[in-house]
Amino acid sequence: MRIDVLVAQPTQRLLAVVAPPRPAGPVMGGGAADWLAVTAERNAQRAAVAPRRDAWGWLPLLALTMASGLLLTALADKGGRDAATWADPVFWAGICLLFFPPALRLTLPFVARGERIGLLVTLGMAVYLVKVFEHPTSFALFDEFQHWRTAQDIVATGHLFSANPLLPISPNYPGMEIVTTALSSLTGLPLFGAGVAVVGMARLLLMLALYLLYEQISHSQRVAGLATLVFMANPLFLFFDAQFAYESLAMPLAVIVFYCVTRYSDAPKRHRAGWIAAVGIGLVAVVVTHHLTSLMLIVLLALWTTVVVIRNRRGGNKGSGRDARAYPIVGALLGIGIVVAWVLYVGDAVVAYLSPSIVNAVQGLAGILAGSSAPRQLFQDGTGTTAPIWERIVSFGAVGLIVAGLLYGWSCLWRHHRSNTTALALGIAALAYPVSQMFRLTANGSEVASRPMDFLFLAVAFVLGVGGAWLTSPDTVRWRRSGALASVLTVAFVGGIIAGAGPMWERLPGPYLASSDQRSISPQGIAAATWTYSALGPGQRFATDHVDQWLVGSYGGQMPVNVANSPVDESYLFFDNTFSSDDESIVSRGHIHYLLVDTRFSTDLPGIGYYYETYEPNAFHHTQPIPLTALTKFDNVQNVSRVFDNGAIVIYDTGAYSNG
Amino acid sequence: MANDSREAALLAAGSITAVVLTLWSDALASLAATSVRLDFGWEIAGALTGSMAVLRVAAATPLVLLLPGYLLVRLLLPGKGFSFATRLMLSLGASVVLTIFGGLLLNLTPFGLRAGSWAALLGLVCLAGCATLAVRGRRHAATPIAEPPMSRDAKASRAPFPLRHAALLALAAVVLVAAGGVAVASATGDAGAGFTQLWILPPNGSAGQGRVRLGVENDEGTAMEYSLALSVDGVPVRQWTNFVIAPGQTWQANAALPNEPFGSSQQVQAILYRADAPTQAYRHVSLWVTMPQPAPPLSPAGPAAGTAPIAPCPAPARWARPDSCGQ
């Protein structure tokens, strides 16, 4: 007898017990009752083989591989700081080692629920630590400084809603800062430490909430596991969702609210009061934490409500009865009411904040479609450097794979899930993914395309999870197929990082680069910002560049002047070789008391395409650095004092012209 | 439901401990600060504060992120037989929600969002939750809710923990700590090229009229020797030669300006030189001053009248708000 036959026999016996011939598959078949019956039968049969199995499964071993991946990314960070050429390959090796082994395990069918959840939580936290280990001692990302300022103001004043010049809307949505300052006050941790802890807790919450939501909708552990895994391929997951910013906390809260709505819809009458109370207070927390997340949650609930109404009118739920009792409309209406009440309470700044980006993106897309404007050059930074060819292929490939997966997932969802209105609503929402990618071609639409990506991926991941679970169902399980699926997911994960994190210099720490987000944060910049606080006192009006605004606004506690919070465009001060009457007017109308000039702009082009503002002269089309004579022209201006110099940063006092 | 009462008592004890530790640590921190001023007892208070920090973090973190939500879920959604994952998610989520509500509430009070008010509020919420849980436990003592049948996973999780798993997890923890160590070491060692800061400021208040404040901070990473020249409208008026500043330290001085007619506008310029390049200006700053009234005359040589070296200051922590040390 051949060895493979010997091996195959017990495997086939096991499969016969665990997976009866041609069952309904991983998701709902004809209806909930049928599916539940099959599931109960399967569970009973699986229990017979339970003693042989280990609830921890591969988790300890995979925890080791994930930790090893983290070690590689930490070494890559060190290499990046030393400008080593090996840093980038080692980073990607670490990312693949981090993601692929648990992905492979999660594509397999016979994994215990506890192990699945453990793997997902461990992987989610490990991916979070990739970001934390890049900047383990201080905030470094753009949004983090904005929210750090809000938290600093809460600590300094003991109250909410202080003006924040870095992001005026931030104090109106202080949920995350409340939790962070509470933790900081009670534990004695600095705000940075408390912020890392709060966002880490939010990541843990997100992993649990996603799994439990998908499991609640699909009643399938495999669908839930795969969908949660796919969610990690979201371009925002590695850095954006891990930063100290309001979305990082609002998203898990929104998923929990969605979960509570599904539980409420399914719950017997005597338990509904508790769930609806949970939905209500959860919605308030989401609304108080982040504007866009609350709006997207309401849109999703409204979509679900629409699907329920349509199906109930068509009599599509007579068979199951489950969705006939679904009342997502309660959540949607509650959400609308709370959003309106909050906007009335804090003011309508959110409309002014969100609408320009959306209008610009729609106009940009319309222009491209009409042929009146050219699409944005993808994979090229502000200095004209283009991403390596493999990055472009993987990034496009990831989008292509996701779109193809959506087609397959949709067919599975329609065949096996169409009586489930929640699943249908997510399926419809997933259709917005290909549309959203078109906005990436517009000059200002990248942000519009990426900001709702969390919510789009909430739906996309579910559809792909359904498709993936059917692709690797217990009847057809093959290592080769699971390996292929895990590889595809890894490509999607890597492609998501490339799309979400931007050019290589944004992914890894390293030497100073001019106007290149976190790569422009240097000890000189921090020292200058810190000096402004101690020497000049907080609250001074500063005109400075894009990155130094973060530093003087947070480390310095100053009031940076920019186009978002003042009637002038301060960038025009820095490009001419002479201090003209127009410059005097800008200083005067903007009440600009100090200018903080980074003289290194005279040697480098801006990585992000601009130095000061997106509307500055030659923004996104700079071909030469700013002449040093233009940056230091203030040396020769009567009554403008050069009060500070550290070689890289010079500060001028323009109080004589500012009226301020 | 006697279990509920026992659990409530345990949680109440935990909450009280967290509140007491928080308030005590705060009091010790205040004592340490006061002791510095009084020059007595600083070491004792400082040591106590340091030893309390870990305990405080361990006790206060659940008070913010876990206990309030856990109690709320127990009270709001009782007897649902949640899995550990579901209960953990709901407890953490509800704690965040309650903390946000607490912040909005405290904002309306004169106490504001401070350590004391947070400790009082969250402590009271937890104690109220514990009391309700205990009372409900007694009322429903006669009708205990049957435990749901143990799932396969639960059965397996109660099986003995294999040694190989413990070894693998321990190894994973070691690798994780190593990764963290590499990250922190590379980030803190990334000081970049050294630099020196020079500044010039007008006097503080009217008492110092006719003077300027000068400062030099050495961030070169090594002790540096400098010279500083001060001029008014291009005319040298003062020079400090070959003074040494230790790394991370600051040198400051107040310098009087020569008498000029009332209301005249002058440009005061300071140029810093390194000892290893004494003819090449390393940093330069300038200040436009308007003379309000006659200032004391400058001494012709020797240590400058009005020059007041300031005690060195440590560099502020990166995430902390800078203090006003040295100014």
Side-chain angles (χ1 to χ4, degrees):
Chain A
M1 189 178 285
R2 283 167 48 201
I3 292 174
D4 56 350
V5 176
L6 279 171
V7 173
Q9 280 178 341
T11 308
Q12 285 162 356
R13 280 203 297 274
L14 181 67
L15 280 176
V17 172
V18 175
R22 311 307 304 170
V27 290
M28 209 175 289
D34 296 346
W35 181 84
L36 287 172
V38 171
T39 304
E41 186 186 351
R42 275 190 187 181
N43 286 343
Q45 290 167 335
R46 284 175 185 176
V49 294
R52 295 183 204 167
R53 300 183 55 209
D54 174 6
W56 286 79
W58 290 15
L59 179 57
L61 179 63
L62 293 175
L64 181 58
T65 64
M66 286 187 256
S68 305
L70 260 178
L71 180 58
L72 283 182
T73 60
L75 287 170
D77 295 338
K78 179 168 171 27
R81 288 192 169 92
D82 299 338
T85 52
W86 51 262
D88 202 41
V90 169
F91 173 79
W92 289 118
I95 289 291
C96 291
L97 183 59
L98 192 68
F99 189 82
F100 180 77
L104 178 62
R105 179 64 175 162
L106 285 163
T107 56
L108 295 173
F110 308 120
V111 178
R113 181 175 186 265
E115 185 190 344
R116 264 186 219 282
I117 297 175
L119 279 173
L120 289 165
V121 166
T122 310
L123 181 57
M125 298 308 292
V127 174
Y128 174 60
L129 287 179
V130 171
K131 185 264 172 191
V132 173
F133 284 175
E134 277 203 7
H135 306 284
T137 56
S138 60
F139 292 121
L141 304 186
F142 177 38
D143 295 43
E144 293 184 325
F145 289 96
Q146 299 171 336
H147 295 280
W148 184 25
R149 173 62 187 261
T150 299
Q152 284 176 325
D153 287 339
I154 293 173
V155 171
T157 64
H159 288 280
L160 307 174
F161 310 123
S162 298
N164 181 342
L166 298 179
L167 183 63
I169 194 112
S170 164
N172 291 349
Y173 295 87
M176 187 197 60
E177 290 88 346
I178 289 174
V179 180
T180 304
T181 52
L183 188 64
S184 172
S185 301
L186 287 174
T187 59
L189 288 170
L191 283 175
F192 172 69
V196 168
V198 167
V199 178
M201 190 266 317
R203 173 56 60 86
L204 170 65
L205 265 183
L206 182 63
M207 291 295 98
L208 290 172
L210 284 171
Y211 178 88
L212 293 170
L213 172 68
Y214 291 136
E215 190 184 52
Q216 175 69 19
I217 295 171
S218 67
H219 291 271
S220 165
Q221 296 172 14
R222 285 200 306 126
V223 170
L226 284 171
T228 308
L229 191 64
V230 172
F231 186 88
M232 296 188 209
N234 165 5
L236 306 183
F237 191 76
L238 177 60
F239 289 115
F240 194 85
D241 287 347
Q243 63 180 344
F244 181 67
Y246 39 20
E247 301 96 321
S248 303
L249 183 60
M251 186 63 195
L253 291 178
V255 179
I256 293 174
V257 169
F258 199 84
Y259 170 81
C260 290
V261 175
T262 61
R263 290 293 299 253
Y264 161 70
S265 301
D266 283 350
K269 262 188 179 176
R270 67 181 186 282
H271 288 154
R272 281 192 182 170
W275 286 112
I276 196 65
V279 169
I281 60 173
L283 272 168
V284 173
V286 175
V287 170
V288 171
T289 303
H290 188 219
H291 40 79
L292 191 60
T293 304
S294 51
L295 294 177
M296 296 302 291
L297 177 61
I298 290 168
V299 168
L300 200 55
L301 290 173
L303 178 63
W304 181 13
T305 304
T306 309
V307 173
V308 169
V309 169
I310 291 172
R311 288 203 65 85
N312 284 349
R313 280 190 179 174
R314 291 185 175 182
N317 290 313
K318 283 177 183 172
S320 73
R322 173 175 173 260
D323 285 313
R325 296 198 307 267
Y327 292 111
I329 192 170
V330 176
L333 290 177
L334 265 176
I336 291 169
I338 294 165
V339 164
V340 169
W342 186 252
V343 167
L344 289 175
Y345 180 61
V346 299
D348 60 352
V350 67
V351 179
Y353 175 68
L354 292 176
S355 54
S357 301
I358 297 170
V359 169
N360 286 342
V362 172
Q363 285 175 345
L365 186 59
I368 291 170
L369 294 176
S372 59
S373 59
R376 185 170 68 98
Q377 189 75 34
L378 297 174
F379 300 106
Q380 194 177 69
D381 69 9
T383 64
T385 308
T386 309
I389 185 72
W390 78 265
E391 286 191 10
R392 284 178 271 168
I393 291 172
V394 170
S395 188
F396 278 124
V399 174
L401 286 171
I402 288 170
V403 172
L406 279 176
L407 293 175
Y408 178 73
W410 241 106
S411 70
C412 296
L413 192 142
W414 186 252
R415 270 185 284 147
H416 308 288
H417 240 314
R418 63 174 176 266
S419 61
N420 182 338
T421 54
T422 323
L424 266 185
L426 288 177
I428 293 169
L431 296 176
Y433 174 77
V435 179
S436 75
Q437 295 305 302
M438 292 165 61
F439 282 102
R440 289 191 179 278
L441 297 172
T442 66
N444 298 316
S446 176
E447 190 170 329
V448 173
S450 61
R451 283 304 173 92
M453 198 53 81
D454 274 335
F455 261 89
L456 282 183
F457 253 78
L458 188 68
V460 167
F462 179 74
V463 177
L464 294 184
V466 169
W470 275 93
L471 201 65
T472 57
S473 67
D475 314 329
T476 58
V477 60
R478 295 287 184 274
W479 275 95
R480 203 176 297 167
R481 191 174 288 197
S482 290
L485 181 59
S487 302
V488 165
L489 289 174
T490 306
V491 169
F493 183 65
V494 170
I497 293 173
I498 293 169
M504 192 193 82
W505 49 259
E506 289 223 59
R507 289 195 294 268
L508 286 174
Y512 173 87
L513 295 172
S515 200
S516 300
D517 285 345
Q518 59 266 31
R519 287 289 294 274
S520 303
I521 298 171
S522 62
Q524 289 95 327
I526 293 173
T530 305
W531 177 85
T532 66
Y533 184 88
S534 57
L536 308 176
Q540 307 290 345
R541 291 179 70 80
F542 267 80
T544 185
D545 59 274
H546 174 66
V547 173
D548 281 305
Q549 282 195 25
W550 316 348
L551 303 180
V552 293
S554 52
Y555 286 98
Q558 310 298 347
M559 302 290 283
V561 174
N562 53 45
V563 290
N565 63 22
S566 85
V568 297
D569 184 346
E570 84 291 351
S571 66
Y572 283 81
L573 288 170
F574 301 98
F575 289 93
D576 296 334
N577 282 324
T578 55
F579 188 73
S580 64
S581 57
D582 287 345
D583 295 332
E584 282 185 38
S585 171
I586 291 172
V587 170
S588 171
R589 287 191 296 126
H591 300 291
I592 297 168
H593 200 144
Y594 294 97
L595 307 177
L596 189 149
V597 177
D598 192 330
T599 56
R600 291 168 292 188
F601 289 176
S602 64
T603 56
D604 287 321
L605 287 170
I608 57 172
Y610 59 93
Y611 295 101
Y612 297 90
E613 299 279 0
T614 53
Y615 298 105
E616 74 189 19
N618 294 322
F620 302 104
H621 297 98
H622 287 288
T623 54
Q624 288 186 331
I626 307 174
L628 186 60
T629 50
L631 291 169
T632 57
K633 60 178 174 280
F634 312 101
D635 283 344
N636 307 315
V637 178
Q638 178 87 14
N639 291 325
V640 172
S641 300
R642 177 183 169 120
V643 295
F644 177 91
D645 177 8
N646 71 9
I649 305 290
V650 175
I651 297 176
Y652 294 97
D653 182 344
T654 55
Y657 295 89
S658 69
N659 302 328
Chain B
M1 282 283 176
N3 283 342
D4 275 0
S5 301
R6 277 200 297 273
E7 187 183 0
L10 201 63
L11 293 174
S15 305
I16 291 169
T17 306
V19 170
V20 168
L21 272 174
T22 300
L23 297 177
W24 190 19
S25 296
D26 250 17
L28 280 176
S30 304
L31 175 63
T34 311
S35 304
V36 171
R37 286 198 295 275
L38 297 177
D39 198 23
F40 106 96
W42 182 87
E43 287 182 4
I44 297 173
L48 279 174
T49 307
S51 62
M52 293 289 291
V54 177
L55 274 177
R56 181 180 175 181
V57 171
T61 302
L63 185 66
V64 181
L65 297 181
L66 188 63
L67 283 180
Y70 177 79
L71 287 162
L72 182 68
V73 171
R74 286 295 309 269
L75 296 171
L76 204 62
L77 306 166
K80 298 291 200 312
F82 294 129
S83 68
F84 173 75
T86 310
R87 190 169 290 283
L88 179 64
M89 177 198 74
L90 290 174
S91 299
L92 289 172
S95 292
V96 168
V97 170
L98 282 178
T99 305
I100 291 172
F101 275 85
L104 296 175
L105 183 69
L106 288 177
N107 184 55
L108 300 175
T109 70
F111 312 111
L113 290 77
R114 308 280 186 195
S117 52
W118 272 120
L121 178 70
L122 293 177
L124 283 174
V125 166
C126 288
L127 289 179
C130 292
T132 314
L133 191 63
V135 169
R136 204 189 59 186
R138 283 183 190 161
R139 281 184 188 168
H140 295 79
T143 57
I145 295 175
E147 287 289 316
M150 196 184 293
S151 69
R152 179 171 56 86
D153 283 359
K155 278 180 191 170
S157 68
R158 293 192 184 184
F161 188 64
L163 193 61
R164 66 177 187 283
H165 285 354
L168 284 169
L169 287 175
L171 197 54
V174 168
V175 175
L176 183 65
V177 169
V182 168
V184 172
S186 78
T188 51
D190 182 34
F195 58 97
T196 297
Q197 307 195 114
L198 169 67
W199 62 88
I200 185 168
L201 289 168
N204 271 329
S206 58
Q209 294 288 6
R211 291 168 181 266
V212 293
R213 292 181 291 150
L214 292 160
V216 181
E217 182 176 310
N218 174 11
D219 292 307
E220 303 280 357
T222 181
M224 295 291 292
E225 188 175 341
Y226 302 97
S227 294
L228 182 66
L230 188 71
S231 62
V232 177
D233 286 338
V235 178
V237 295
R238 177 81 194 130
Q239 190 162 12
W240 292 265
T241 54
N242 301 329
F243 57 96
V244 177
I245 306 178
Q249 303 301 312
T250 300
W251 174 94
Q252 293 184 75
N254 286 315
L257 302 175
N259 289 330
E260 291 291 335
F262 174 77
S264 65
S265 189
Q266 301 170 297
Q267 188 181 32
V268 182
Q269 193 170 40
I271 302 177
L272 185 73
Y273 301 89
R274 287 166 54 152
D276 54 356
T279 58
Q280 186 178 349
Y282 186 45
R283 302 279 184 263
H284 69 101
V285 291
S286 64
L287 183 71
W288 286 90
V289 293
T290 302
M291 296 305 294
Q293 59 187 17
L298 284 172
S299 58
T307 299
I310 307 295
C313 306
R318 280 181 135 183
W319 56 73
R321 275 235 171 180
D323 57 24
S324 57
C325 183
Q327 291 298 318

